[in-house]
Amino acid sequence: MTGDSPVPAPSVRVSTAAVAVLSGGAAGGIVGLTAYLLEVRALGRTAAWLGGLALAACADGLVGALLSSVGHWLLDLAFGAGSSRRAAGALVAWVRGSGGGVGAPADRERSSWLIASLAGGAVAVPLSFLSVRWVATRFHAPEYVAALAIGFTLASLAAAALLTAGVRRALRARPHRGRLARALSFANVLALGCALILAAAVGAWWRARPAIVGAGAEPLVEITVTGALVLVFAVLAAAFAPGWPVRRWPGLIVLGLCVVGLAGLGSLAGPRSLVLSERLLGAAMVAALQGASDVDGDGHGSLFGGRDCAPWDATISPSAREVPANGRDDNCSGGDAARRAPPDPRFGPLPAAWPTRPDFVLVSIDTLRADHVSAYGYSRQTTPHIDRLAARSTTFLTALAPGPRTAASVPSVLTGRSLHRNDLRRTGEGDLALLLPENVLFAEALQEHGYLTQAILSHRLFDPASGWSQGFASWDWSPGEGDANSAITGPLVTQKALLALAARPVDRPYLLWVHYYDPHARYLPHPGFPSFGPDPVSLYDGEILATDTYAGKVIEEALRPPFDRRTVLIVFFDHGEGLGEHCPPGVHHGLFREMLHVPLIVHAPGIEPSRVKEPVGLVDLYPTILNLAGLPPTGTTTGRSLLPAMMAGRGDPERALFHELAWSQPFRARSWVGVTWRGHRELRDLITGSRLVFDLASDPAERNNLGDSGAAWEADIAAALDAFIDTTVAVTPMMQSLVWPGGSAVR
């Protein structure tokens, strides 16, 4: 047969539909296994980990089989029945075509097509990844990220097709001979081209991964890669399988195994919890199965780990408010909650010669984790000014934030209670919580007793419409009105704070809150400051060093005589930062140590310096301020006063601290709650039922999930978290609209 001969169809009967399913299942299975191995670390419970591995493979394999089957069906629909078989025959003849060997017309024809296709692929693959990265770093609404990412991916494929046509035309216009012809033979080009595209894909993924993870677009990437592998596997199957008698039943078996594996393994708590704990395609499919079993429309399924204990009653679900002692389990926590007395804020007696109505200066810094502060043992000298303050103050070594985001943490600082015990409403921007006027902020309590209250802030989250400004006579958020993520705001914040402190009254008690945003991603070099290096961690440390210098000027002015004898200075950090442990920089989607463990330093006149190792929370700042101001408890807070720990130099080792987070992403929504107690931490997703349990003493990096281990302490910590959920609105109107758009408000 010559290069111009007609193309024969395969002589052996082959079910192209079966080949499509087998190719798609294999491609998806490989992608699922790879994603699971990359994202889910080796855990202690081997059986559960292997089950999760199989669940991920089944989920992606099913997607691959469906994609391949749909492509096969569309080909036959568009070009007539049997088109897929004729295309396979043509492909076989093209790949196996003769014509005189290397350099012959048929070989040159195949090589020109292959080179052109590889050139297009080398452009399309990295362009797709980088376009997703660009979209994810500039848009926050999940629906925009998903739609634009798909659009850019299609545009990348179109650009690749144009490039392919152009390269092929150029190659055909210039015939190749001798060594060049041998170098551009089909086999050589195929091997080299595949290696180059693989390298381009790996490099592009590595470059784009932080933004893709931040946008929750990993399932989109898995689908895209699966689709590309389906095409590759289909080509290989068409080229090498025509001699094999492939019938329909192998494809049906593969499809059935994927369905049964997804449904069966998705019903097992161990594998399901591991897959749901990561943002994988398998997690999205399990969540979809849970949603499919939502019969009563309350947003929770009752199968595949769904936590709806009353599938036919929409008033009972994990999103309902638990009404104590009403004879039913409203929020599916395992029983009716008992009535509980309001928590005791545990105010302590004031020190001798304590000033009446002392001044308060609060300096908060965004996104600063405790293990990157020199006073907390960090090897780099990132915080010399804060270190000097810590040496003459009470330093709380195990202070925990109520959430890993400003919007999940600051409201609790302002109200002194857990985020979803507040009266909230949602803005439409992710998980931003607006505090309603029904809440009593600590600034309001101080203002009612004669305090002049001021705040200087540096991000758009502090827009007065947030409700966070209640009780502040002056609320200056102008440094953050622009794009604080790509600007340095520290110098302006410092300038405004120094002017405010210079004008503070001497005959009236005073409150000033100053918030620095600069350590938040994106990490920017600060002119005039030394550099630790160009890598993300070093850039982050550089931002910390610069912010410490800015804040140091405010600290010095706040404690300038004679104000040092009447000023309580509190330096705190609203949440930490992920540097690749569980999330990339700038992505705050987890209730893990690096997100929650923050520095907290309180300088009070006349109280001896100490280092308190027992756990405390930022939720404790409100009652502490009231206690030190000599004001009575408001009866609305869930935190405790830190004054007893400051006086004794030690806290309560039995203290349980709770954390919350809700967010929405293109492929799923999450609603996490967590508790840290007695050296352990449990995290629970109220929507999917996923659980993560860690022993922080033996596993401080929180890699070994001990969920369902049967240990006695696991039952105790689960009961503590159940009690917290029973006394907290598990899913507020904000979270309800995040997870189920158009759903009814839950109050």
Side-chain angles (χ1 to χ4, degrees):
M1 181 181 71
T2 65
D4 298 326
S5 302
V7 176
S11 58
V12 180
R13 182 171 180 80
V14 178
S15 171
T16 51
V19 171
V21 171
L22 291 172
S23 301
I30 290 174
V31 172
L33 291 174
T34 303
Y36 186 88
L37 291 172
L38 287 174
E39 299 294 338
V40 182
R41 305 297 177 92
L43 302 175
R45 295 181 62 79
T46 305
W49 187 83
L50 290 176
L53 185 68
L55 177 57
C58 288
D60 285 52
L62 181 59
V63 170
L66 293 176
L67 285 175
S68 187
S69 300
V70 169
H72 173 272
W73 176 76
L74 289 176
L75 186 63
D76 282 355
L77 181 66
F79 300 101
S83 297
S84 55
R85 182 180 299 279
R86 291 192 297 272
L91 185 60
V92 172
W94 180 73
V95 173
R96 295 182 173 182
S98 59
V102 174
D107 189 72
R108 289 200 304 270
E109 178 74 7
R110 294 193 305 273
S111 294
S112 66
W113 267 113
L114 185 60
I115 293 172
S117 301
L118 292 174
V123 171
V125 170
L127 193 59
S128 297
F129 279 122
L130 296 179
S131 62
V132 172
R133 176 177 180 266
W134 184 86
V135 170
T137 55
R138 284 163 175 78
F139 297 92
H140 302 286
E143 57 273 17
Y144 293 156
V145 172
L148 289 175
I150 293 173
F152 275 110
T153 299
L154 294 176
S156 301
L157 294 176
L162 293 175
L163 180 62
T164 298
V167 171
R168 182 171 180 268
R169 172 173 290 188
L171 290 172
R172 294 185 68 187
R174 183 175 181 180
H176 306 303
R177 299 181 178 86
R179 291 183 179 179
L180 182 59
R182 286 192 293 272
L184 296 179
S185 69
F186 182 80
N188 290 346
V189 172
L190 179 62
L192 180 61
C194 290
L196 290 176
I197 286 187
L198 179 62
V202 171
W205 164 252
W206 186 258
R207 177 76 174 168
R209 185 179 184 276
I212 290 171
V213 171
E218 296 100 314
L220 178 63
V221 174
E222 287 186 60
I223 293 173
T224 304
V225 175
T226 298
L229 272 184
V230 165
L231 293 176
V232 173
F233 278 38
V235 170
L236 294 176
F240 301 107
W244 306 338
V246 181
R247 307 299 184 188
R248 290 186 177 181
W249 60 266
L252 295 176
I253 290 177
V254 169
L255 198 60
L257 286 175
C258 290
V259 172
V260 172
L262 177 62
L265 293 170
S267 300
L268 300 178
R272 183 185 66 246
S273 182
L274 292 178
V275 171
L276 286 171
S277 66
E278 301 293 340
R279 293 178 293 275
L280 301 173
L281 181 57
M285 295 191 69
V286 171
L289 288 175
Q290 292 180 347
S293 64
D294 178 17
V295 180
D296 53 11
D298 60 7
H300 293 270
S302 56
L303 302 177
F304 306 105
R307 300 182 58 248
D308 193 351
C309 58
W312 306 102
D313 187 347
T315 65
I316 299 177
S317 75
S319 63
R321 182 193 291 271
E322 178 68 22
V323 179
N326 69 340
R328 72 175 192 172
D329 182 12
D330 300 283
N331 64 353
C332 297
S333 62
D336 187 20
R339 296 188 182 277
R340 293 180 174 88
D344 182 3
R346 304 193 183 187
F347 278 25
L350 294 171
W354 183 255
T356 303
R357 300 289 190 270
D359 292 347
F360 291 93
V361 176
L362 279 63
V363 177
S364 59
I365 300 177
D366 212 297
T367 322
L368 211 167
R369 48 193 284 172
D371 59 0
H372 277 247
V373 173
S374 310
Y376 284 72
Y378 192 41
S379 57
R380 286 176 172 170
Q381 293 300 308
T382 53
T383 53
H385 296 87
I386 293 175
D387 295 349
R388 287 194 288 272
L389 176 68
R392 52 195 179 113
S393 308
T394 302
T395 303
F396 294 93
L397 301 178
T398 315
L400 299 177
R405 290 179 165 186
T406 301
S409 181
V410 167
S412 292
V413 173
L414 296 174
T415 63
R417 56 186 178 181
S418 301
L419 177 63
H420 292 112
R421 282 181 176 170
N422 295 308
D423 291 300
L424 305 171
R425 65 182 176 88
R426 181 191 178 243
T427 65
E429 292 193 30
D431 65 352
L432 177 56
L434 300 189
L435 290 175
L436 298 178
E438 290 82 351
N439 300 287
V440 180
L441 279 59
F442 71 77
E444 292 179 282
L446 294 180
Q447 192 178 49
E448 289 178 359
H449 289 81
Y451 274 78
L452 173 63
T453 55
Q454 294 181 299
I456 300 167
L457 313 144
S458 53
H459 194 268
R460 61 182 178 81
L461 286 177
F462 295 95
D463 185 322
S466 64
W468 300 358
S469 62
Q470 295 170 184
F472 285 92
S474 172
W475 183 266
D476 184 356
W477 66 293
S478 59
E481 286 184 289
D483 183 7
N485 289 324
S486 56
I488 295 175
T489 60
L492 180 58
V493 170
T494 302
Q495 177 186 357
K496 289 177 173 289
L498 293 178
L499 290 174
L501 287 171
R504 61 184 148 174
V506 296
D507 57 350
R508 182 181 179 185
Y510 179 65
L511 164 69
L512 174 65
W513 176 25
V514 181
H515 183 80
Y516 288 94
Y517 186 77
D518 286 342
H520 197 289
R522 307 164 187 167
Y523 307 140
L524 303 174
H526 289 243
F529 289 89
S531 171
F532 291 108
D535 60 283
V537 174
S538 296
L539 290 173
Y540 175 60
D541 289 342
E543 292 243 57
I544 296 173
L545 176 63
T547 304
D548 171 81
T549 303
Y550 304 142
K553 297 177 181 180
V554 176
I555 292 171
E556 181 180 0
E557 178 62 24
L559 298 180
R560 176 175 57 85
F563 295 100
D564 58 333
R565 296 192 297 271
R566 54 176 272 193
T567 299
V568 176
L569 177 64
I570 302 175
V571 177
F572 71 95
F573 307 78
D574 61 348
H575 59 83
E577 175 70 302
L579 295 174
E581 298 90 342
H582 298 91
C583 292
V587 178
H588 307 131
H589 286 171
L591 297 176
F592 299 104
R593 174 190 55 85
E594 64 271 13
M595 302 290 188
L596 300 178
H597 187 197
V598 293
L600 174 59
I601 299 166
V602 181
H603 178 83
I607 297 182
E608 292 296 319
S610 63
R611 292 170 68 84
V612 177
K613 64 179 182 180
E614 289 78 17
V616 299
L618 296 185
V619 73
D620 298 330
L621 291 180
Y622 188 131
T624 302
I625 291 171
L626 293 189
N627 194 175
L628 293 175
L631 302 179
T634 61
T636 62
T637 64
T638 57
R640 301 179 185 177
S641 173
L642 298 175
L643 179 57
M646 294 166 61
M647 297 295 292
R650 63 180 183 276
D652 180 5
E654 293 292 308
R655 177 78 182 278
L657 293 166
F658 300 94
H659 325 284
E660 299 170 83
L661 173 66
W663 83 86
S664 180
Q665 292 183 320
F667 287 88
R668 64 185 312 204
R670 307 294 291 269
S671 174
W672 285 98
V673 293
V675 58
T676 303
W677 188 35
R678 297 176 179 173
H680 303 97
R681 178 171 293 141
E682 177 179 341
L683 309 178
R684 191 182 302 173
D685 188 344
L686 295 176
I687 297 176
T688 65
S690 176
R691 293 177 66 244
L692 298 174
V693 182
F694 303 105
D695 182 345
L696 301 180
S698 62
D699 180 28
E702 296 169 293
R703 293 296 187 190
N704 188 16
N705 180 16
L706 301 177
D708 302 316
S709 66
W713 61 264
E714 186 182 346
D716 293 339
I717 197 171
L721 188 55
D722 287 339
F724 171 75
I725 293 172
D726 281 344
T727 56
T728 303
V729 181
V731 180
T732 66
M734 175 189 72
M735 296 166 67
Q736 180 78 1
S737 57
L738 270 171
V739 180
W740 309 289
S744 59
V746 177
R747 297 304 302 255

